[in-house]
């Protein structure tokens, strides 16, 4: 009996540094849960990393680190396709071809481009957000700094990553939803322009339940590398303990059952992710009756985080030491990813009239 066709899932991470608890609870752990039932494709987006100034040696090292962290977190190369974006040359060619159907205006209007472009130029986020004012800031400003074209066409490259594998589900965060909508638009536009049905329109993958938001240690926002509020999967226990003990809190509750401030609520969120229910209940009760000692809470949280990350860190170290294994994983992954990418690109070239004489 023929097996039902598995849904194609695709996700990538830019190699801009080590992965952290936010990546683990928000993505990696979920990827492990779905790799048996779906056609999963997980890649390291090194071409995307080039949109910001990147040291070549650091980029190379980060690619290896992210690969090792994927594997150490439990992603199985026998079940999922794991590859490096730049190992698939078909992506770069399709990136050029798809750009012929993408408008400059729609790219310049994306929120992510505006935000990152202003950061590149050192402009205030309080600037006039109208299209005309933004265009003047990017093109007409008196500055020696520049915004690279790759940053502008980032959504095209992201669309190609998805469409070249004909992925139908893409796990994305809120900040990438606009880019996913652009991918659907580009797929719909291409299909309509050439009267074909080449590209499916991908949607966000719903893992079920509320999305996991892992807060940082600085009292607000989510954990992120650029915010400097992370606990990395590779962090040594001493480093983790020091980071947690320095986490932002407040003066403590003055009255029973007081509402929690954001920094304290963040610590309890981390506790709920890493600790047992009885530990969480103990500290919630202590907060409610005003007997809580934040030092004790932090010590417990640090030890529970160490318990989660230590086996992962040990596996990362072992995998990084086995370069032949890493090379085999990406070689096999690239072979599988290129097979589908080559077929898609060949179809696209034929449709667009780029054919041998």
């Amino acid at each position: 009996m023929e097996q039902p066709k598995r849904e194609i899932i695709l996700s990538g991470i830019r190699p801009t540094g080590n992965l952290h608890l936010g990546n683990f609870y928000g993505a990696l752990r979920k990827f492990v849960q779905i790799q048996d039932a779906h056609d999963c494709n997980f890649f390291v987006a090194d071409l995307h990393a080039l949109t910001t100034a990147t040291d070549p040696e650091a980029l190379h090292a980060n690619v290896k680190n992210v690969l090792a962290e994927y594997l150490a977190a439990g992603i199985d190369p026998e079940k999922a396709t794991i590859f490096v974006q730049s190992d698939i040359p078909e992506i770069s060619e399709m990136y050029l071809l798809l750009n012929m159907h993408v408008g400059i205006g729609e790219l310049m209007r994306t929120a992510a481009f505006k935000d990152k472009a202003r950061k590149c130029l050192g402009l205030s986020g309080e600037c006039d957000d109208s299209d005309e004012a933004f265009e003047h800031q990017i093109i007409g400003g008196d500055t020696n700094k520049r915004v690279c074209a790759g940053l502008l066409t980032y959504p095209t490259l992201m669309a190609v990553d998805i469409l070249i594998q004909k992925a139908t589900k893409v796990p994305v965060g809120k900040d990438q939803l606009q880019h996913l909508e652009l991918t659907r638009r580009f797929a719909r536009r291409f299909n309509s322009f050439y009267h074909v049905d080449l590209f499916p329109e991908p949607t966000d993958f719903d893992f079920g339940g509320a999305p996991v938001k892992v807060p940082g240690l600085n009292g607000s926002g989510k954990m992120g590398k650029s915010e400097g509020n992370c606990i990395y999967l590779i962090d040594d226990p001493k480093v983790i303990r020091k980071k947690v003990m320095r986490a932002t809190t407040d003066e403590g509750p003055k009255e029973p059952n007081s509402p929690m401030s954001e920094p304290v609520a963040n610590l309890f969120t981390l506790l709920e992710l890493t600790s047992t229910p009885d530990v969480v209940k103990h500290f919630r009760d202590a907060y409610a009756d005003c007997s809580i000692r934040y030092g004790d809470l932090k010590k417990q949280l640090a030890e529970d985080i160490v318990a989660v990350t230590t086996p992962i860190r040990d596996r990362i170290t072992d995998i990084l030491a086995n370069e032949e294994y890493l090379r085999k994983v990406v070689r096999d992954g690239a072979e599988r990813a290129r097979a589908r990418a080559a077929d898609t690109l060949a179809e696209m070239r034929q449709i667009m009239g780029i054919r041998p004489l």
Side-chain angles (χ1 to χ4, degrees):
M1 183 175 176
E2 186 178 349
Q3 293 292 324
K5 191 173 182 180
R6 297 191 302 168
E7 199 158 36
I8 300 172
I9 313 294
L10 182 127
S11 181
I13 293 180
R14 294 173 68 229
T16 55
N18 292 107
L19 303 184
H20 51 72
L21 279 183
N23 300 126
F24 178 70
Y25 284 106
L28 297 180
R29 195 171 65 160
K30 295 179 178 180
F31 295 166
V32 172
Q33 294 168 354
I34 66 172
Q35 63 183 344
D36 288 306
H38 299 86
D39 181 347
C40 290
N41 301 263
F42 304 121
F43 68 99
V44 182
D46 56 340
L47 297 179
H48 282 295
L50 297 175
T51 57
T52 53
T54 303
D55 175 78
E57 296 305 316
L59 176 61
H60 180 69
N62 286 337
V63 168
K64 290 177 61 178
N65 289 338
V66 172
L67 285 169
E69 288 160 348
Y70 268 158
L71 296 165
I75 295 177
D76 187 344
E78 298 299 320
K79 298 176 179 178
T81 299
I82 304 171
F83 63 97
V84 178
Q85 187 184 27
S86 61
D87 284 344
I88 317 300
E90 290 83 2
I91 290 175
S92 297
E93 182 175 347
M94 184 170 159
Y95 174 45
L96 182 148
L97 296 178
L98 189 61
N99 263 325
M100 304 307 171
H101 292 275
V102 174
I104 293 175
E106 62 189 341
L107 295 176
M108 289 190 69
R109 285 191 292 272
T110 61
F113 174 67
K114 289 183 178 183
D115 179 55
K116 291 180 179 179
R118 287 184 176 128
K119 286 181 180 177
C120 286
L121 299 176
L123 296 171
S124 168
E126 299 176 357
C127 296
D128 185 348
D129 203 41
S130 67
D131 290 341
E132 183 178 349
F134 176 68
E135 183 176 331
H136 175 74
Q137 292 169 31
I138 298 300
I139 299 175
D142 295 327
T143 177
N144 291 324
K145 298 178 182 179
R146 63 181 175 83
V147 177
C148 73
L151 185 61
L152 177 66
T153 57
Y154 183 105
T156 310
L157 183 55
M158 177 175 163
V160 169
D161 293 326
I162 298 165
L163 299 178
I164 204 166
Q165 296 296 330
K166 295 189 177 178
T168 53
K169 296 290 183 181
V170 184
V172 294
K174 286 184 178 180
D175 58 336
Q176 293 291 325
L177 284 175
Q178 187 178 26
H179 287 167
L180 186 58
E181 176 55 41
L182 283 174
T183 298
R184 287 194 288 271
R185 183 190 301 176
F186 299 159
R188 193 160 52 245
R189 179 182 297 159
F190 186 93
N191 289 343
S192 174
F193 186 87
Y194 291 105
H195 308 289
V196 295
D197 189 27
L198 177 62
F199 298 125
E201 294 185 29
T203 57
D204 185 18
F205 187 88
D206 183 7
F207 289 100
V212 177
K213 179 183 178 182
V214 181
L217 297 173
N218 59 346
S220 64
K222 68 176 183 177
M223 190 171 286
K225 283 172 273 192
S226 60
E227 287 78 13
N229 60 7
C230 295
I231 292 175
Y232 295 101
L233 300 179
I234 196 66
D235 276 347
D236 180 89
K238 291 182 179 179
V239 173
I240 292 174
R241 293 182 184 109
K242 181 180 288 188
K243 286 182 176 180
V244 173
M245 294 308 292
R246 290 179 176 175
T248 305
T249 54
D250 56 24
E251 295 180 351
K254 303 300 183 184
E255 298 178 359
N257 300 309
S258 299
M260 289 183 188
S261 65
E262 185 176 3
V264 174
N266 285 348
L267 290 183
F268 272 95
T269 297
L270 290 171
L271 198 70
E272 288 170 349
L273 288 170
T274 59
S275 305
T276 59
D278 59 311
V279 168
V280 176
K281 182 179 185 305
H282 167 76
F283 284 104
R284 283 200 174 276
D285 290 346
Y287 185 89
D289 65 18
C290 302
S291 65
I292 192 166
R293 295 164 57 94
Y294 288 145
D296 293 340
L297 169 64
K298 290 180 178 181
K299 288 176 183 177
Q300 180 69 53
L301 176 60
E303 294 311 311
D304 290 336
I305 291 174
V306 167
V308 170
T309 59
T310 293
I312 299 174
R313 187 183 67 256
D314 290 345
R315 289 195 293 270
I316 292 170
T317 302
D318 290 343
I319 292 167
L320 286 173
N322 191 347
E323 293 198 359
E324 181 53 38
Y325 172 66
L326 266 182
R327 282 194 288 268
K328 182 180 186 307
V329 168
V330 295
R331 185 171 60 246
D332 292 349
E335 183 177 342
R336 294 199 295 270
R338 285 198 69 183
R340 189 151 48 202
D343 288 345
T344 303
L345 179 62
E347 289 180 273
M348 188 176 187
R349 288 171 61 95
Q350 179 73 16
I351 289 166
M352 295 181 70
I354 304 174
R355 308 163 188 160
L357 298 176

